[in-house]
Every structure is written in C-alpha cells, then in structure tokens.
Amino acid sequence: MRIHVVDHPLVAHKLTTLRDKRTDSPTFRRLADELVTLLAYEATRDVRIEQVDIETPVTATTGVRLSHPRPLVVPILRAGLGMLDGMVRLLPTAEVGFLGMIRDEETLQASTYATRMPDDLSGRQVYVLDPMLATGGTLVAAIKELISRGADDVTALCLLAAPEGVEVMERELAGTPVTVVTASVDERLNEQGYIVPGLGDAGDRMYGAAG
C-alpha cells in the first residue's frame, strides 16, 4: 500500500476551515468539494490513457484520452456522496458505483447494506471516496469487496487519515495494489474512534445529524 499526503498551501487552507467547528454545513460541503478536486488531481496522476489522432484547426496531431474500460468512482455512503461532485468534475467520463456501509459504534466494525457496482471490475481503475480513514475498518471492507470483483488498481481518496487506520490498511491489505491520497495524516484516534484533531463526523458536518 502507498499513502500520498498532498502537501499544498491551498489544500492546507481549505482543510483548516473544514476543521473549524464554526464552519456551517453549506460552507463545509463547498470546501470539501473543492478539496476533493485538488486531491483528485494527485490521485489521477497515473490514470490510464491511450493515444488518439485528432485534427486541430491548424494540422493533424496526436493526443491522449482516457482508455477503456472507463475508471469507476465509488463513494461510500453517506459521507462519500459529499466527495462525488469534486471527483467527477475532474473525471466527467468516469462511471459511478455506490457502496453503502455502516460502522457499529460499539465494535467499530463495518458492514455492507447496499451495493451498486459492476460484478466484474477486471481491468478497471477504481477510485473510492471516503472522507475519514479512522479505524480503517470501513475502507478495508470496501476495498476487499472491490478486489473480490476483480479490481486490481484501487485508489482511496480521504480528506483525513489516522495513523491507526493507515496501519490497519497496511496489515489487512498487504500485497494489494492500493494507494491512499489524503490531505493529512493526523495525530491519533480518541476512545470513540474519532480522528484527533480531525474535523468531527464528516457526514454530520455535511448533512446534519440526521438519523
């Protein structure tokens, strides 16, 4: 597994406002959307392309386009939905799947309650969207589901990560071609499984504490 922390002043600036507890939900959603686009720029550095011949207004030339099969973007519901627009803005031709997962707040284990993805992901580059890599359980379960469908190139985009979650992923996904792209690896998890200093519950910050 490879982890890439995006070190850029604009990333740090937007992340600071996301962390601020005074930031309201509309502002949080907008900034998360902008931050994801910045992370997506780094995450898609190795996106697969193929050559194509085109005609400019001046002459013939050769360029590139995204190769087939198209990349698949998979937000983990519900908080991952807040990252979707920022990702497909950069990859408008990508296809979108959905993976619904919920974490038991006592055991911190993740379980799947809904899926909407192709059965065969062989040869597909897959981009998983999950705002918080905290305990790592949800993301590990999601990536194992993708691998079981044949995915062999998975990149996870996370706003924040905790060292404990990174360690779990490295252990549980050893030997698996997975990349994590994040704006920061924070200090630690607290007793409730939240990232410290973190930004709280990303889903609640985006959409309110509905439930």
Side-chain angles (χ1 to χ4, degrees), residues 10-204:
L10 287 179
V11 169
H13 166 72
K14 295 178 189 301
L15 181 57
T16 298
T17 306
L18 288 175
R19 291 187 191 276
D20 192 332
K21 66 180 183 180
R22 298 170 297 179
T23 300
D24 59 25
S25 289
T27 304
F28 191 98
R29 286 195 299 269
R30 177 177 59 79
L31 287 174
D33 177 80
E34 294 172 359
L35 180 55
V36 170
T37 299
L38 294 174
L39 297 179
Y41 179 80
E42 293 294 332
T44 55
R45 188 172 294 276
D46 295 322
V47 69
R48 294 169 186 163
I49 56 175
E50 58 188 16
Q51 286 192 342
V52 58
D53 295 326
I54 62 169
E55 292 276 348
T56 78
V58 178
T59 187
T61 190
T62 301
V64 299
R65 65 184 175 194
L66 296 184
S67 60
H68 283 76
R70 293 176 180 174
L72 180 70
V73 178
V74 181
I76 298 178
L77 306 179
R78 78 178 160 144
L81 280 177
M83 303 174 69
L84 182 58
D85 286 348
M87 185 70 189
V88 297
R89 181 178 298 113
L90 207 63
L91 276 180
T93 60
E95 295 180 353
V96 178
F98 295 94
L99 186 56
M101 307 195 78
I102 189 168
R103 186 179 76 163
D104 188 301
E105 294 303 325
E106 293 184 3
T107 66
L108 302 182
Q109 296 300 307
S111 59
T112 303
Y113 65 85
T115 58
R116 180 73 176 183
M117 295 184 295
D119 292 330
D120 184 8
L121 296 176
S122 301
R124 302 285 291 269
Q125 285 184 294
V126 184
Y127 297 90
V128 184
L129 310 180
D130 190 14
M132 313 297 283
L133 171 51
T135 63
T138 298
L139 204 49
V140 165
I143 291 173
K144 285 184 175 180
E145 174 66 25
L146 297 170
I147 292 171
S148 73
R149 296 174 184 239
D152 61 1
D153 188 336
V154 179
T155 299
L157 280 76
C158 305
L159 301 181
L160 291 179
E164 294 90 337
V166 172
E167 183 179 344
V168 166
M169 288 192 66
E170 289 175 337
R171 182 176 68 247
E172 296 292 328
L173 299 172
T176 304
V178 174
T179 300
V180 175
V181 178
T182 184
S184 174
V185 177
D186 277 10
E187 297 173 11
R188 59 183 173 86
L189 293 179
N190 65 15
E191 294 76 9
Q192 289 75 42
Y194 283 92
I195 298 174
V196 178
L199 48 76
D201 185 296
D204 288 353

